Amino acid sequence: MLPFSNRPLWLALLALAPASTLPAQAALTLSVDVAAPGKPISPDLFGIFFEDINYSADGGLYAELIQNRSFEYSPLARREWTNLTAWELTPRGGRGDLDVDGAFPLHANNPHYAVLSVRDTGEVALVNEGFDGVALRADEDYRLSFFARRLYAGGRWDGKKSASPLPLVARLETREGAVLAETSFVVTEDSWQTFSATLKSNATTPAARLVLIARERGGLALDEVSLFPAKTFRAHPNGLRADLAQTIADLRPRFIRFPGGCLVHGNGIPNFYRWKDTIGPVEQRRQQANLWGYHQTVGLGYFEYFQFCEDIGARALPVVPAGVSCQNSGHTGGTGQQCLPLAEMGAYIQDVLDLIEWANGPSTSTWGAKRAAAGHPAPFGLKYLGVGNEDHITPGFHERFELIQRAIQARHPEIVVIGTVGPAPDGEDFERGWRLADELRVPMVDEHYYKSPDWFWANLARYDAYDRSRAKVYVGEYAAHDDKRRSTLRAALAEAAHLTALERNGDVVTLASYAPLLAKRGRTQWTPDLIYFDNTNVYPTLSYEVQRLFGNNAVATVLPSTLRDAPTNLAFSTARDSAGDLVLKLVNGASTPRQLRIELVGFTRTSTPAELTVLAHPDANVANEDARPPAAATLSQTITVSPTFEHELPAHSLTIIRIPHAP
Ligand code: AHR
């Protein structure tokens, strides 16, 4: 946050302007009963939703720098892709070939590998471009690893005459060929061996390449070629990109929903996201196409998701398919829902129950032991489990969801199952989903809405009238979609207004998460997103700033308050946090400042310092631009408040007033 002394000129001038120069506004009175016990709300209200969309995982949060490391890319993901995409053979004085093979796979789940052969003595290089380049920093360490086996030494048809070792040099190079780091290996075995080394880059560059150079006549099989920065988030091996993970952690999310979204129920049954495929040694995980048009290595798998949750103090909220695929499967335009045959539902339900055991069971249990073997003997403490995502609520869905839900309830009543009510805040799937939730007594349902900023402002009372005896609500995906789907201040403030309404209704709305979270520049298929990034930078949006402010000013108890004649573009929540601080959140969606008289009824001190935080800009069209200072910066300052005080809300603003330990 910027101190007020660094505030932009427009805001400084605004503060200095005589009151008479401001557009006339009759003061409204916000009256807050600060002595009331208040209404306790969900301690988990604001979290995040991570989906591997827009290159969020591979090439994004997952810190792997090598693209197509396992030679498993396929045209199922993208028409032009092959097993050798992102790899290139370049002769460097020698003659050689690059092929793909599957006769001696490293693992059945990793069926393809590269064959690099040298026909004459002289160098040939196998080059990987990374994800739009390999970003390196000077003097930082990078951990290279790969599997290799010698297929033959000498000529290909020489049989086993020669047992000569095959040397392999690994380099990090700039695109122009300058060497940034180098190491060498010798492949001596005819069976798969692992190799690893740490490389220190001698320069910073956004777009280096990994180069593997063979020079002796012979043939080598190579697989799972991997390069990670040593500095991953919390230094975990197979870890996350530190800057991106920290940007997410700064939101202080109370939960993380993963791994999707549409990604979960997949493009047809074979493309379900199956959690068991994503644990264990990375070279043994079953990879697959991502329905967003690229590839999932699942190197960022269930263990890594749970570990990240634990690292940042968030609850894990995994979502499993409800036994049906995405209704848009197979280019069908909404009619492609496939239902798992009922004969397979028993095994499928067991997978779901195994997930709960993997997360929460003792390390002596079958699946708890696998978690322990991965390095986490203590249970993860899973509480929420999503079943289905935006599914078409058909009889086939109903039947399968019910089987899964009943099995979880019977075996694990401690788990809160979250059902799905379609992709929109109303309509057929919404109605049917809610009816199903009522019928099955589903504890919570997942509502989604991507709507205009005006819609958000017009629907602030949405949850005020929700029947508290029905299922609780998880607003699992929402975002205000402004003109051209830009991340404007207008959109961010509409979301802020929405969040105040969710806080006020935090007894029925238990969880909420903006969507989508991440998007890589140049690889984005869905806008707006909360955080943009490229290989070296992170670009948070103004919507991110709103989420950050709410996450860092989370409250525990909502206090009764009134604002007579409240205009429709003013939203507020009045609450206490778990430490007893009074936290007022006020959103002014108007293009003029708003005078407010704030009455703290029951406030016992005559005056006290309070912390004022403001995100504002006179132009609601502003949006953060990459590599520029924030279009609207958050400013903070200490003010003095008394039982009744006047306060002015700037045009287009979110204001947070925190009064320590009131009353
Ligand atoms: O958030 C992007 C997509 O929007 C999600 O995958 C899906 O659930 C929704 O339609």
Side-chain angles (χ1 to χ4, degrees):
M1 272 186 263
L2 293 176
F4 262 67
S5 54
N6 289 345
R7 61 187 152 181
L9 187 60
W10 67 264
L11 193 57
L13 292 175
L14 191 66
L16 293 173
S20 60
T21 64
L22 298 171
Q25 288 273 355
L28 296 161
T29 301
L30 172 65
S31 182
V32 189
D33 184 353
V34 299
K39 175 176 73 176
I41 66 164
S42 167
D44 300 327
L45 186 54
F46 298 134
I48 57 170
F49 163 46
F50 179 92
E51 175 169 28
D52 187 3
I53 182 174
N54 308 316
Y55 276 70
S56 296
D58 295 300
L61 183 61
Y62 184 50
E64 174 63 79
L65 294 166
I66 301 302
Q67 187 175 189
N68 192 16
R69 67 181 177 191
S70 322
F71 306 96
E72 297 301 337
Y73 271 23
S74 117
L76 269 183
R78 193 171 293 176
R79 197 178 40 200
E80 65 273 20
W81 275 1
T82 73
N83 296 85
L84 295 174
T85 293
W87 294 94
E88 190 193 351
L89 183 73
T90 43
R92 293 192 174 183
R95 287 195 306 142
D97 298 294
L98 176 62
D99 293 295
V100 60
D101 208 337
F104 301 107
L106 196 48
H107 189 272
N109 285 343
N110 188 355
H112 302 101
Y113 54 88
V115 173
L116 176 63
S117 41
V118 179
R119 277 187 265 137
D120 304 312
T121 308
E123 292 187 347
V124 296
L126 179 57
V127 179
N128 188 278
E129 283 285 335
F131 294 92
D132 306 320
V134 173
L136 300 175
R137 285 177 166 279
D139 300 323
E140 293 205 351
D141 287 339
Y142 295 86
R143 202 176 143 67
L144 171 70
S145 63
F146 59 93
F147 286 77
R149 61 183 283 164
R150 196 180 49 174
L151 297 171
Y152 59 91
R156 184 168 171 185
W157 304 106
D158 293 351
K160 291 281 177 193
K161 270 188 287 195
S162 167
S164 304
L166 295 177
L168 192 68
V169 171
R171 281 191 196 144
L172 299 174
E173 290 184 358
T174 64
R175 284 215 166 110
E176 295 71 38
V179 178
L180 304 168
E182 178 173 317
T183 189
S184 55
F185 306 92
V186 180
V187 182
T188 55
E189 302 299 316
D190 296 344
S191 56
W192 288 108
Q193 277 179 283
T194 56
F195 295 85
S196 63
T198 298
L199 295 164
K200 191 185 285 295
S201 177
N202 62 27
T204 297
T205 169
R209 318 183 301 171
L210 174 71
V211 182
L212 299 174
I213 301 166
R215 60 166 188 271
E216 295 293 333
R217 283 180 73 224
L220 279 175
L222 292 163
D223 206 354
E224 207 65 19
V225 183
S226 171
L227 183 75
F228 270 86
K231 284 190 185 163
T232 56
F233 188 65
R234 304 282 158 92
H236 293 302
N238 193 48
L240 306 183
R241 202 177 122 174
D243 56 350
L244 265 181
Q246 188 57 53
T247 306
I248 294 170
D250 291 344
L251 291 166
R252 295 190 57 197
R254 301 310 192 266
F255 67 88
I256 305 180
R257 172 181 174 223
F258 58 84
C262 293
L263 182 90
V264 168
H265 54 185
N267 182 20
I269 290 170
N271 194 230
F272 276 5
Y273 190 102
R274 303 228 182 208
W275 76 272
K276 285 183 178 173
D277 290 339
T278 76
I279 60 167
V282 287
E283 71 278 5
Q284 297 179 14
R285 298 183 187 180
R286 198 179 70 83
Q287 309 179 35
Q288 61 172 345
N290 179 325
L291 59 55
W292 294 108
Y294 55 104
H295 183 82
Q296 305 177 71
T297 64
V298 295
L300 170 52
Y302 261 49
F303 183 81
E304 292 75 23
Y305 282 122
F306 273 79
Q307 181 173 253
F308 184 42
C309 290
E310 188 169 84
D311 283 345
I312 67 173
R315 285 188 181 279
L317 196 171
V319 185
V320 295
V324 302
S325 75
C326 181
Q327 51 270 32
N328 302 320
S329 295
H331 299 86
T332 54
T335 58
Q337 184 184 75
Q338 298 173 351
C339 297
L340 201 63
L342 287 174
E344 294 174 35
M345 279 303 291
Y348 181 71
I349 290 168
Q350 190 55 52
D351 279 355
V352 177
L353 298 174
D354 291 344
L355 168 60
I356 299 169
E357 182 176 291
W358 178 84
N360 288 355
S363 55
T364 48
S365 62
T366 308
W367 287 94
K370 294 186 195 297
R371 181 197 66 237
H376 202 286
F380 277 120
L382 177 69
K383 175 177 173 186
Y384 301 113
L385 179 61
V387 178
N389 170 71
E390 291 193 357
D391 297 293
H392 198 15
I393 313 291
T394 58
F397 169 86
H398 182 140
E399 195 171 15
R400 284 153 188 81
F401 179 88
E402 183 170 356
L403 288 170
I404 301 168
Q405 138 95 356
R406 287 201 191 289
I408 299 173
Q409 257 174 358
R411 292 277 301 279
H412 292 285
E414 74 283 7
I415 295 292
V416 178
V417 170
I418 305 174
T420 176
V421 293
D426 45 32
E428 200 176 290
D429 284 327
F430 183 82
E431 299 299 335
R432 286 191 186 156
W434 265 103
R435 273 202 299 278
L436 182 61
D438 288 341
E439 183 190 321
L440 302 181
R441 306 291 306 158
V442 179
M444 198 183 297
V445 297
D446 180 10
E447 294 192 350
H448 293 179
Y449 30 88
Y450 298 98
K451 293 287 190 179
S452 69
D454 286 348
W455 184 92
F456 278 86
W457 280 102
N459 281 273
L460 292 180
R462 178 180 176 88
Y463 296 108
D464 294 349
Y466 260 48
D467 179 346
R468 270 54 183 167
S469 68
R470 297 177 84 190
K472 303 274 189 214
V473 177
Y474 168 30
V475 185
E477 296 181 28
Y478 67 87
H481 284 186
D482 204 350
D483 191 30
K484 302 201 175 89
R485 293 176 65 153
R486 290 172 68 236
S487 304
T488 59
L489 179 62
R490 182 184 301 102
L493 293 178
E495 288 151 8
H498 176 60
L499 297 187
T500 64
L502 298 189
E503 277 187 349
R504 283 193 286 101
N505 288 284
D507 56 327
V508 63
V509 179
T510 309
L511 310 163
S513 48
Y514 179 101
L517 179 69
L518 295 177
K520 188 167 195 177
R521 285 291 183 215
R523 303 281 165 191
T524 297
Q525 61 250 120
W526 178 294
T527 55
D529 305 282
L530 204 62
I531 302 166
Y532 293 89
F533 64 93
D534 56 28
N535 280 347
T536 46
N537 300 290
V538 180
Y539 308 112
T541 60
L542 294 172
S543 292
Y544 169 90
E545 188 57 5
V546 164
Q547 297 287 330
R548 192 184 70 79
L549 291 173
F550 274 77
N552 284 274
N553 288 283
V555 292
T557 314
V558 170
L559 296 172
S561 53
T562 52
L563 180 60
R564 215 167 323 123
D565 302 324
T568 51
N569 52 11
L570 183 64
F572 61 94
S573 77
T574 54
R576 254 196 310 267
D577 71 4
S578 54
D581 287 2
L582 176 61
V583 183
L584 310 179
K585 299 192 179 91
L586 304 142
V587 185
N588 181 17
S591 54
T592 51
R594 177 92 58 196
Q595 284 298 129
L596 209 58
R597 174 174 301 118
I598 300 175
E599 283 179 1
L600 305 176
V601 179
F603 191 70
T604 52
R605 281 171 277 166
T606 49
S607 76
T608 191
E611 192 186 302
L612 172 69
T613 304
V614 182
L615 172 69
H617 196 283
D619 181 2
N621 290 308
V622 294
N624 281 350
E625 288 178 33
D626 296 358
R628 299 254 182 92
T634 298
L635 310 172
S636 57
Q637 130 183 93
T638 302
I639 57 171
T640 302
V641 300
S642 47
T644 299
F645 64 101
E646 303 279 330
H647 190 77
E648 184 183 280
L649 307 177
H652 305 302
S653 62
L654 163 63
T655 297
I656 301 176
I657 301 173
R658 172 180 286 277
I659 305 168
H661 301 295

